[in-house]
Amino acid sequence: MSTQTLVNGDSLIRANYFNIAIDIFSVKERKKIMTYNFKNEGPNRIINFGGSGIVEMKENSFLIGSLLGEIYITYKDSILSKHNLSDLDIFKDREYRLYGINSTKPIKIDDDIFFYRVPEYLQQDKGYYSEKLLVKYNLKNKSLDELNVLYPKEYHSGLWSFAHIHPSFTKNSENKIIFSFPINSHLYEYDIKTDSMVTVDKCVKSKFDNFPLKPLKSTSVDFYEENKYIKGQIRYLSITYDKYKKLYYRMIALPVENDDDLISRDKDFLVSPIVLMVLDSDFNVLAEKKLKGGMFNYKDYFVNEEGFWLSKNNPKNPNFDEDKLSFSLFNLK
């Protein structure tokens, strides 16, 4: 398992889900080439690695932004430098939890790295909807700026499960950052030059979206009730840009289709049907394909020159093998 996968030519660079490690695989050779294991104790350690945002700086060197707001520069399995964002005077009283999974991978543009910042406040707090969700870290002067990306107005209508909170974003060939939020079908275009975000003026609603979305009555629900609620909702999961074909790939989770899946303790990514949507560079919907639940893992995917690869490492899949990585390649015909 992995929280985040980067692509560099033939290499897949994967953040290890279970260990403080980065694994590197060859697509052509279909095997793991190397693993960089980082220490979990002592001064030369990485704290809270799981969910860290990772950027490849150069070969064998990575920038890692952690959930505790620490920026690490590494080379192979060594830490070259560490910068705690709480040391910045203007941010001393704030939390900067930088969260990087496949749908929120940090983006590097020149000397700036754009991170998703997990909100500091609870949804019940007034400050929640004024939280800036995107921050920019400058490599040269080690500064941090909050950017003008907020939750859309639809979030103000109620309380939402944890699964509905995290946005997804991707950079296109014009260096604009395209955002998608789980609770509506809209796409949003953020311009780094003007620090502004506008709604894309196109209908990008899935043809399979026939489900009204309902907020939670309360966030004080147990695992079973929240899990059941999530599996009964539609969610616009992720947006990914294909720089080779100038396409966008979007994944959408649909409500489960039977009561057994709804009331089971299986998490949604194991059983929810998925829609894979393809859009052109102008956000016209070119194709949609519905994939039945229990076959794929929508959290694990990547794009290379061949197209969009989606993981089949789902324990519900009859061909699941925990000792192998297995992906299906999707191409627009």
Side-chain angles (χ1 to χ4, degrees):
M1 290 181 66
S2 172
T3 54
Q4 184 182 324
T5 298
L6 308 176
V7 178
N8 182 354
D10 176 53
S11 297
L12 297 184
I13 301 162
R14 293 169 59 84
N16 195 295
Y17 184 87
F18 298 103
N19 301 304
I20 308 174
I22 292 176
D23 300 312
I24 301 178
F25 296 79
S26 167
V27 176
K28 292 179 181 178
E29 297 182 28
R30 300 291 199 269
K31 68 178 183 180
K32 183 163 69 172
I33 298 173
M34 66 182 70
T35 294
Y36 296 132
N37 289 294
F38 301 102
K39 296 179 180 179
N40 61 3
E41 57 184 19
N44 194 31
R45 64 175 178 166
I46 293 181
I47 305 172
N48 213 348
F49 179 78
S52 292
I54 298 174
V55 177
E56 186 179 26
M57 304 298 290
K58 55 185 179 180
E59 187 175 5
N60 301 321
S61 178
F62 303 95
L63 179 144
I64 299 173
S66 80
L67 273 169
L68 293 183
E70 292 188 310
I71 304 290
Y72 300 89
I73 301 293
T74 70
Y75 179 71
K76 295 186 176 180
D77 58 358
S78 298
I79 297 173
L80 300 183
S81 66
K82 181 175 69 173
H83 182 205
N84 194 323
L85 298 179
S86 63
D87 293 337
L88 296 170
D89 289 338
I90 59 174
F91 298 123
K92 275 191 178 297
D93 298 325
R94 308 294 304 278
E95 290 184 1
Y96 282 89
R97 294 182 291 157
L98 309 176
Y99 186 46
I101 54 178
N102 271 332
S103 58
T104 62
K105 285 189 286 196
I107 292 170
K108 184 178 184 297
I109 301 176
D110 299 325
D111 290 320
D112 292 321
I113 298 179
F114 298 82
F115 285 99
Y116 165 53
R117 178 204 176 195
V118 178
E120 178 181 350
Y121 298 96
L122 298 175
Q123 290 183 63
Q124 298 90 327
D125 295 334
K126 291 182 179 180
Y128 184 82
Y129 296 107
S130 61
E131 285 277 79
K132 303 293 179 67
L133 302 178
L134 193 69
V135 294
K136 179 177 66 176
Y137 181 78
N138 185 271
L139 293 167
K140 285 189 173 180
N141 56 29
K142 295 185 178 181
S143 63
L144 189 77
D145 294 305
E146 297 178 322
L147 304 176
N148 193 29
V149 176
L150 304 170
Y151 280 117
K153 65 180 185 301
E154 286 86 351
Y155 277 91
H156 295 237
S157 61
L159 300 174
W160 302 94
S161 76
F162 190 73
H164 290 88
I165 295 303
H166 302 311
S168 176
F169 53 86
T170 188
K171 178 180 73 72
N172 64 19
S173 57
E174 298 175 354
N175 276 352
K176 292 185 177 179
I177 301 176
I178 309 303
F179 275 83
S180 173
F181 290 84
I183 71 169
N184 68 44
S185 62
H186 301 306
L187 291 173
Y188 304 85
E189 189 176 71
Y190 174 79
D191 190 328
I192 64 172
K193 295 179 180 178
T194 61
D195 187 24
S196 61
M197 189 162 75
V198 297
T199 306
V200 171
D201 188 23
K202 290 286 177 67
C203 178
V204 290
K205 183 178 180 179
S206 170
K207 65 182 180 182
F208 298 99
D209 184 354
N210 300 308
F211 308 96
L213 191 63
K214 299 177 182 179
L216 283 167
K217 294 180 181 179
S218 168
T219 54
S220 299
V221 294
D222 61 21
F223 165 83
Y224 174 79
E225 287 300 322
E226 183 172 7
N227 192 42
K228 181 179 176 182
Y229 163 81
I230 293 169
K231 290 187 289 187
Q233 305 289 316
I234 187 170
R235 287 179 295 131
Y236 286 79
L237 297 168
S238 62
I239 184 76
T240 306
Y241 185 66
D242 181 343
K243 66 181 181 180
Y244 308 101
K245 299 180 177 66
K246 293 183 170 53
L247 298 172
Y248 295 95
Y249 303 104
R250 195 178 197 189
M251 281 194 289
I252 302 146
L254 300 179
V256 294
E257 297 176 326
N258 61 73
D259 288 341
D260 288 343
D261 285 336
L262 184 66
I263 64 176
S264 75
R265 296 186 69 84
D266 291 325
K267 298 283 284 183
D268 65 290
F269 74 93
L270 297 176
V271 294
S272 294
I274 305 166
V275 173
L276 179 59
M277 176 189 286
V278 184
L279 306 95
D280 67 17
S281 59
D282 294 319
F283 304 104
N284 298 302
V285 178
L286 302 179
E288 290 189 73
K289 185 175 182 64
K290 183 179 176 182
L291 309 171
K292 68 178 184 178
M295 297 299 293
F296 297 93
N297 178 357
Y298 69 70
K299 295 184 177 184
D300 196 355
Y301 56 89
F302 65 91
V303 174
N304 66 4
E305 292 183 354
E306 295 180 82
F308 181 87
W309 297 80
L310 180 60
S311 172
K312 294 189 289 186
N313 284 84
N314 185 328
K316 296 288 185 179
N317 189 320
N319 297 316
F320 173 69
D321 184 340
E322 66 180 9
D323 295 321
K324 294 181 180 179
L325 292 180
S326 180
F327 292 85
S328 282
L329 172 64
F330 293 86
N331 260 319
L332 185 66
K333 294 182 179 179

